[in-house]
C-alpha cells in the first residue's frame, strides 16, 4: 500500500511510519519544515514538505493522488495557542479530508482525542482543542466519499508499548503508550471493515490485532 500521513513528524506519525515501512508499505509524510525531512527518511518514509495551514486543496490532493490510504496525524501541539487549534486541529483536518476526496483516496484515518466534541464547552486552550477536534471529526464523518475511521486515544505516554489495548466505542479514560497507538493505526489502515467507526483507545488486555478484528466484527 501507499499511505500518506499528515503531520509526518509527529511522535505518533514517526512511529507509524517505521511500522508501515518495516512491513513493506510505501509511506510519505507531510511536514511543514524541510529540516524535518531526515527524521522521516530515517523512519523509512518519503518526506513531503507542505504547510497545511497555507496549502490549497488541489496542492494537497496532488500529494495524495495514487495513495491507498491517508492518515491525519497532525496537531498544533501542546505549546500552541487558541488560533492554531482552529487552523491545524480543525482546518487542516478538513483540508486533508477534502483533498483525499478530490484525489480519490477512500481509506481515511484520523488521530483524534478522547473527549473531542464539537459541543464541548469552555474557553481554556484544552477546551478549544477538544472542540476543534470534535468539529474536524464531525466534518470527516459527514463525507460519504471517505471510508473513515476516527481513533481517539486516551492520555498519551512515552512508555514502551505493550501491544495490549482496549479498543471500543467507549472505553472510559486511561493512558496509552504512543507505541501502541501507532500499532493500532497500522492495523486499522489494513482493516476497511472499521469504516464508519469512532473508537476510543487505552491500554488493556487484548493484543492489538485481536482488538482491531473484534471492532471490525470478525
Amino acid at each position: 500500500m501507499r499511505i500518506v500521513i499528515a503531520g509526518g513528524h509527529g511522535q505518533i506519525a514517526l512511529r507509524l511510519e517505521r511500522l508501515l515501512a518495516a512491513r513493506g508499505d510505501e509511506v510519505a509524510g507531510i511536514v511543514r519544515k524541510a529540516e524535518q525531512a531526515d527524521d522521516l527518511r530515517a523512519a523509512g518514509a518519503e518526506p513531503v514538505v507542505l504547510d497545511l495551514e497555507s496549502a490549497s486543496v488541489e496542492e494537497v490532493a496532488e500529494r495524495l493522488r495514487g495513495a491507498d490510504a491517508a492518515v491525519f496525524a497532525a496537531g498544533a501541539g501542546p505549546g500552541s495557542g487558541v488560533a492554531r487549534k482552529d487552523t491545524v486541529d480543525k482546518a487542516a483536518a478538513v483540508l486533508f479530508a477534502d483533498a483525499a476526496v478530490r484525489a480519490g483516496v477512500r481509506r481515511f484515518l484520523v488521530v483524534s482525542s478522547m473527549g473531542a466534541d464539537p459541543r464541548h464547552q469552555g474557553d481554556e486552550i484544552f477546551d478549544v482543542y477538544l472542540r476543534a477536534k470534535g468539529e474536524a471529526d464531525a466534518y470527516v464523518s459527514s463525507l460519504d466519499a471517505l471510508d473513515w475511521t476516527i481513533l481517539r486515544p486516551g492520555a498519551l505516554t512515552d512508555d514502551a508499548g505493550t501491544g495490549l489495548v482496549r479498543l471500543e466505542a467507549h472505553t472510559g479514560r486511561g493512558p496509552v503508550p504512543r507505541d501502541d497507538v501507532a500499532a493500532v493505526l497500522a492495523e486499522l489502515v489494513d482493516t476497511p471493515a472499521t469504516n464508519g467507526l469512532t473508537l476510543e483507545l487505552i491500554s488493556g488486555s487484548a493484543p492489538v490485532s485481536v482488538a482491531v478484528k473484534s471492532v471490525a466484527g470478525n
Side-chain angles (χ1 to χ4, degrees):
M1 293 177 73
R2 176 170 171 80
I3 300 146
V4 179
I5 302 172
H9 195 257
Q11 296 186 66
I12 290 171
L14 286 167
R15 289 166 166 84
L16 177 59
E17 286 154 7
R18 289 186 199 100
L19 291 175
L20 295 174
R23 76 183 190 192
D25 288 325
E26 183 184 333
V27 192
I30 295 175
V31 295
R32 206 158 48 92
K33 301 174 182 174
E35 56 264 32
Q36 297 170 330
D38 285 346
D39 290 338
L40 268 72
R41 292 189 189 97
E46 164 202 339
V48 176
V49 180
L50 185 68
D51 187 347
L52 294 177
E53 289 179 89
S54 60
S56 68
V57 172
E58 185 53 42
E59 284 174 316
V60 182
E62 191 59 39
R63 307 314 199 279
L64 280 165
R65 286 195 175 89
D68 300 292
V71 181
F72 185 80
S80 60
V82 166
R84 295 197 72 229
K85 305 306 181 195
D86 190 62
T87 58
V88 179
D89 294 298
K90 178 186 173 182
V94 168
L95 173 74
F96 199 59
D98 286 343
V101 172
R102 185 172 295 198
V105 181
R106 288 203 64 93
R107 189 72 181 118
F108 194 88
L109 272 63
V110 177
V111 183
S112 184
S113 175
M114 193 172 289
D117 183 347
R119 296 172 300 281
H120 183 85
Q121 299 298 307
D123 299 315
E124 298 296 323
I125 285 185
F126 195 64
D127 297 321
V128 176
Y129 168 75
L130 290 176
R131 196 158 51 244
K133 294 296 282 186
E135 289 169 347
D137 293 353
Y139 184 81
V140 169
S141 64
S142 75
L143 296 175
D144 293 336
L146 295 180
D147 293 335
W148 56 267
T149 304
I150 294 167
L151 184 65
R152 293 178 170 171
L156 299 170
T157 75
D158 287 325
D159 297 338
T162 65
L164 299 172
V165 299
R166 183 176 174 193
L167 180 69
E168 298 167 16
H170 300 287
T171 60
R173 296 194 176 275
V176 61
R178 289 178 172 87
D179 286 351
D180 290 335
V181 178
V184 168
L185 287 167
E187 286 281 336
L188 288 172
V189 165
D190 262 353
T191 313
T194 58
N195 170 36
L197 298 181
T198 297
L199 301 166
E200 293 183 351
L201 173 67
I202 58 174
S203 291
S205 57
V208 167
S209 60
V210 172
V212 172
K213 286 186 174 72
S214 177
V215 295
N218 52 42

